[in-house]
């Protein structure tokens, strides 16, 4: 990150608008007008070859005519002039460019974009964009964009790949009363990207939470590292999760939208909370920007209405933060501020009789009590109460409790009086929502933040160079033969080098050898054709199972060879694998792909119908620590199968975790050579009995 240049980009003391126009309606006019109307205190230099004065400001004929190098140049000239302007900016000593101009990689002109960045880097400049709306900052009264106005004030910062969405969200900040300090459009991300800004925002005292609208990340590992290192919460809305949406995103930004499941995995590993849609992004951003994480499972609800209490309880369960009853001593105290027919369990129902005082006393006690990890205050509009007064009582209770460091939020169900009260709450630092499920979802975001942050650094990933060296030898043999598919035996040798528990598999070159091997492994055995020309062994009738004795081995050897010849007469046959016949167990699949954005990525799912029909799989970017792997095992819909069903004992999770851990190290080590792998099936036995990798596949990258 070019920090010095990004400082000038984000907090300039002077701004030049190249292409400032005197014609209202043009972007070059609007940007200049926005700078003035926003109240920007730095120097503003409009640049236009023909005009002498625009919006009462003196105009400069060119960048070189400026009295000083402005900190930031906003480029609003057509693409055919823009790179020349960038060159002039560099010569002048300007260090930051905000290139609003479109017509670069998003329309296939990668050459022009590369030229722009080459020019910028030649002079040590950073580039925001191109193809952007610009950037906005409340703390500097800086509307350096053609967005309509500075956002509703607050401490979140938005970074978005869609400029149009920035404009829309800017307006929504006022209707939703979700406060932002900055909104930054990064468009084609040709230079300054998410990671650079996330890193820069760490030191920005006006930003408490970073909010991302993501279509496609270019350098996935850089993104993960930047997010992992960030102490401020990050929330992302990933667009392009549908097949069609991904295609639309790719054409919009000129970048790769990637697989939604891999993004979800990467966000988990990077400590990034996800939003499901735009509304949800606002709800969750509000909570993350104002409140600390929810660090425990004791969530207390306080309400004046049973109905909203039930709705909130349902929502809590749905969003993974189920309620439990408060302990008896807490209930005793809570009963003091409700009628006899109220309930002090959880939700704490003070009934419709609750006024300011009961809200005050109950919230003050409940918020301060050590049992409570988080508090949600629900309110239904009644004729006897004033929503603003209730809001004020909640705030006063929170302040008077002396407690800090745990989340509190409010849900007010009612009309315009509630809207005013909620605005008051937000302006006073308490997240407030209408429907209770929105509040509960926002509280769940605070819980997710705590969970994913606590999983970030738990287990060190340790790689052993000896494993990689052994794998390299085996890969070299395949490369020498001009092959990209390793045989099952070769793949298993690599798996074995990484300590994966494979079903013993040896390669027999003749019948006698096969017999010796079978005897050594112990009957029954499985025999399989091993040929780089026969990928689908069963199609070639090249597999025999449950071979019980020597005669069976001899017979199978002949039959398999004969079948292979019929299937493909000129097949290059390496021999016949003799394999231990593993006892049956719960079938799972582990595999890997080399994701275009995030690189080697490990996949886990249950075998058979679960993977083939239900696509019930989950991913992590490799390598991955063991706490993340534990989480993977719970993420699939078929997770209960691992707990043991229909009287089965629980499956050996520890052994499975170890397999995934080693597997991820393996694909990470071999990422330069390997494109895809499979361990399918892996049989998982009862606790303490381990797992067995029955089949193995490794496909190498094609080399030019
Ligand atoms: N130095 C200074 N000024 C110059 C130069 C130069 N080298 N060359 C031209 N100009 C002036 C022009 O004279 C003109 O001023 P005028 O109105 O006084 O004559 C001004 O720059 C603008 O030039 P125009 O030719 O009028 O261009 P126009 O304003 O129509 O378009 C723009 C320029 C806005 C950059 C356009 O090419 C463009 O890229 N539009 C898309 C921008 C966009 O939407 N970005 C965000 C994408 S995200 C989203 O979807 C919202």
């Amino acid at each position: 990150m070019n920090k010095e240049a990004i400082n000038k980009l984000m907090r300039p003391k002077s701004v030049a608008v190249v292409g400032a126009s005197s014609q209202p309606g043009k972007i070059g006019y609007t940007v200049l007008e926005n700078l003035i109307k926003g109240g920007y205190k730095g120097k503003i230099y409009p640049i236009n070859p023909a005009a002498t004065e625009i919006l009462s400001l003196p105009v400069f004929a060119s960048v070189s005519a400026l009295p000083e190098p402005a900190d930031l140049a906003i480029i609003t000239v057509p693409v055919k002039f823009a790179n020349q302007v960038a060159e002039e900016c560099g010569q002048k000593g300007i260090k930051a460019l905000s290139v609003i101009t479109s017509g670069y990689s998003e329309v296939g002109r990668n050459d022009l974009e590369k030229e722009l960045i080459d020019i910028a880097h030649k002079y040590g400049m950073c580039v925001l964009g191109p193809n952007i709306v610009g950037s906005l900052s409340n703390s500097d009264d800086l509307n350096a964009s053609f967005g309509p106005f500075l956002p509703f004030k607050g401490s979140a910062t938005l970074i978005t790949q869609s400029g149009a969405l920035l404009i829309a969200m800017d307006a929504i900040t006022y209707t939703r009363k979700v406060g932002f300090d900055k909104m930054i459009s990064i468009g084609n991300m040709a230079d300054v990207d998410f990671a650079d800004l996330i890193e820069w925002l760490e030191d920005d005292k006006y930003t408490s939470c970073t909010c991302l609208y993501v279509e496609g990340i270019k350098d996935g590992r850089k993104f993960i590292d930047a997010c992992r290192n960030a102490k401020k919460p990050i929330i992302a809305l990933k667009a392009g999760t549908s097949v069609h949406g991904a295609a639309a995103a790719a054409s919009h930004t000129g970048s790769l939208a990637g697989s939604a499941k891999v993004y979800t995995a990467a966000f988990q590993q990077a400590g990034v909370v996800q939003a499901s849609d735009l509304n949800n992004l606002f709800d969750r951003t509000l909570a993350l920007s104002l409140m600390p994480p929810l660090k425990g499972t004791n969530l207390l609800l306080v309400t004046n209405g049973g109905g909203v209490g039930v709705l909130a309880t349902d929502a809590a369960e749905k969003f993974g933060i189920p309620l439990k009853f408060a302990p008896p001593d807490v209930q005793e105290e809570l009963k003091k501020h409700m009628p006899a027919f109220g309930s002090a369990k959880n939700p704490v129902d003070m009934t419709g009789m609750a006024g300011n005082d009961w809200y005050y006393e109950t919230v003050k006690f409940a918020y301060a009590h050590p049992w409570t990890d988080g508090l949600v205050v629900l309110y239904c509009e009644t004729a006897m109460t004033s929503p603003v007064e209730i809001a004020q009582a909640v705030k006063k209770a929170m302040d008077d409790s002396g407690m800090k460091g745990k989340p509190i939020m409010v849900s007010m169900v009612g009309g315009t009086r509630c809207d005013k009260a909620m605005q008051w709450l937000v302006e006073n630092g308490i997240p407030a929502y209408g429907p209770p499920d929105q509040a509960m979802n926002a509280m769940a975001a605070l819980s997710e933040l705590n969970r994913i942050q606590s999983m970030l650094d738990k287990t060190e990933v340790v790689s052993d160079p000896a494993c990689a060296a052994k794998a390299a030898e085996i890969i070299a043999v395949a490369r020498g033969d001009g092959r990209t598919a390793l045989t099952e035996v070769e793949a298993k040798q690599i798996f074995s080098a990484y300590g994966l528990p494979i079903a013993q598999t040896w390669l027999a070159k003749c019948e006698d050898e096969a017999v010796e091997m079978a005897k050594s492994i112990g009957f029954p055995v499985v025999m399989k054709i091993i040929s780089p020309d026969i990928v689908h062994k069963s199609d070639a009738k090249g597999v025999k199972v449950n071979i019980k004795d020597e005669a069976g081995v001899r017979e199978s050897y002949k039959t398999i060879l004969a079948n292979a010849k019929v299937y493909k007469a000129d097949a290059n046959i390496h021999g016949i694998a003799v394999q231990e016949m593993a006892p049956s167990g719960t079938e799972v699949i582990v595999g890997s792909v080399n994701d275009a954005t995030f690189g080697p990525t490990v996949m886990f799912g249950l075998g058979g119908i679960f993977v083939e029909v239900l696509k019930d799989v989950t991913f992590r970017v490799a390598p991955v620590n063991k706490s993340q792997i534990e989480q993977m095992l719970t993420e699939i819909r078929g997770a209960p199968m691992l707990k043991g069903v229909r009287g089965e004992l629980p499956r050996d999770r520890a052994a499975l975790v170890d397999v995934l851990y080693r597997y991820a190290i393996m694909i990470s080590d071999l990422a330069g050579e390997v494109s895809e792998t499979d361990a399918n099936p892996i049989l998982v036995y009862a606790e303490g009995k381990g797992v067995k990798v029955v089949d193995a596949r490794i496909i190498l990258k094609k080399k030019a």
Side-chain angles (χ1 to χ4, degrees), residues 491-503 590 655-656 658-664 666 679 682 691-693:
K492 280 183 173 165
Q493 283 167 350
I494 292 181
F495 281 18
S496 193
Y498 277 88
L500 296 170
I502 55 158
V590 173
L656 185 54
D658 191 58
V659 161
L660 274 155
Y661 176 74
R662 288 169 185 275
Y663 202 94
M666 175 183 77
I682 297 177
V691 303
K692 217 46 25 114
V693 180

Side-chain angles (χ1 to χ4, degrees), residues 236-248:
L237 173 60
K238 170 71 178 81
T241 51
S242 60
V243 175
H244 191 73

Side-chain angles (χ1 to χ4, degrees), residues 68 130 167 220 255 284 292 362 412 428 460 472 504 642 649:
E68 59 166 348
I167 297 172
S255 62
R284 293 186 147 212
T362 302
M412 291 195 143
N428 285 279
E460 277 298 309
Q504 274 192 73
L642 295 172
L649 292 168

Side-chain angles (χ1 to χ4, degrees), residues 450-461 625-628 630:
N450 183 57
R451 179 179 59 76
I452 57 181
Q453 285 191 339
S454 65
M455 290 193 310
L456 282 184
D457 290 314
K458 268 201 175 156
T459 318
E460 277 298 309
V461 176
N625 70 34
K626 288 191 177 175
S627 30
Q628 285 281 347
E630 289 281 0

Side-chain angles (χ1 to χ4, degrees), residues 11-217:
R11 308 208 60 200
K13 296 200 167 52
S14 54
V15 179
V17 182
V18 192
S21 170
S22 41
Q23 286 183 49
K26 280 200 176 182
I27 286 182
Y29 176 90
T30 307
V31 170
L32 188 64
E33 188 187 38
N34 274 347
L35 282 167
I36 299 166
K37 281 203 323 205
Y40 177 60
K41 309 288 183 307
K43 290 194 191 106
I44 304 173
Y45 299 118
I47 299 176
N48 184 295
T52 53
E53 189 184 284
I54 306 174
L55 292 162
S56 307
L57 288 173
V59 174
F60 297 84
S62 65
V63 173
S64 57
L66 289 176
E68 59 166 348
D71 276 358
L72 167 65
I74 305 173
I75 298 182
T76 66
V77 298
V79 70
K80 63 182 174 204
F81 304 125
N83 288 5
Q84 178 52 35
V85 166
E87 177 72 38
E88 287 168 29
C89 290
Q91 284 172 7
K92 185 72 188 173
I94 290 171
K95 292 295 173 213
L97 303 179
S98 175
V99 184
I100 287 180
T101 308
S102 301
Y104 287 92
S105 66
E106 81 283 2
V107 292
R109 293 306 305 267
N110 299 41
D111 55 330
L112 282 182
E113 195 160 290
K114 181 176 180 309
E115 185 184 79
L116 171 69
I117 302 308
D118 286 348
I119 293 168
H121 289 176
K122 186 169 71 179
Y123 294 105
M125 295 189 284
C126 71
V127 175
L128 188 65
N131 185 33
I132 57 170
V133 163
S135 61
L136 305 94
S137 167
N138 266 318
S139 47
D140 284 307
D141 302 311
L142 177 69
N143 184 353
S145 80
F146 63 92
F149 30 64
L150 286 166
F152 184 72
K153 275 190 184 157
S155 62
T157 281
L158 171 74
I159 311 171
T160 169
Q161 272 178 294
S162 162
L165 208 74
L166 181 149
I167 297 172
M169 287 179 70
D170 188 9
I172 298 170
T173 62
Y174 286 87
T175 52
R176 289 294 316 269
K177 307 289 184 256
V178 178
F180 283 78
D181 186 61
K182 296 177 182 61
M183 297 193 132
I184 308 162
S185 160
I186 49 174
N188 297 359
M189 283 195 313
D191 182 33
V192 174
D193 60 11
F194 283 114
D196 295 325
L197 290 171
I198 286 165
E199 202 179 321
W200 186 86
L201 288 166
E202 274 298 281
D203 295 330
D204 178 42
K205 64 179 178 191
Y206 303 102
T207 299
S208 66
C209 158
T210 308
C211 172
L212 312 177
Y213 168 80
V214 179
E215 288 181 355
I217 289 165

Side-chain angles (χ1 to χ4, degrees), residues 97 147-148 196 219 231 332 409-410 415 451 495 527 613:
L97 303 179
D196 295 325
D219 185 341
K231 299 210 170 37
E332 274 318 302
M409 57 185 59
V410 176
R451 179 179 59 76
F495 281 18
M527 291 173 71
V613 181

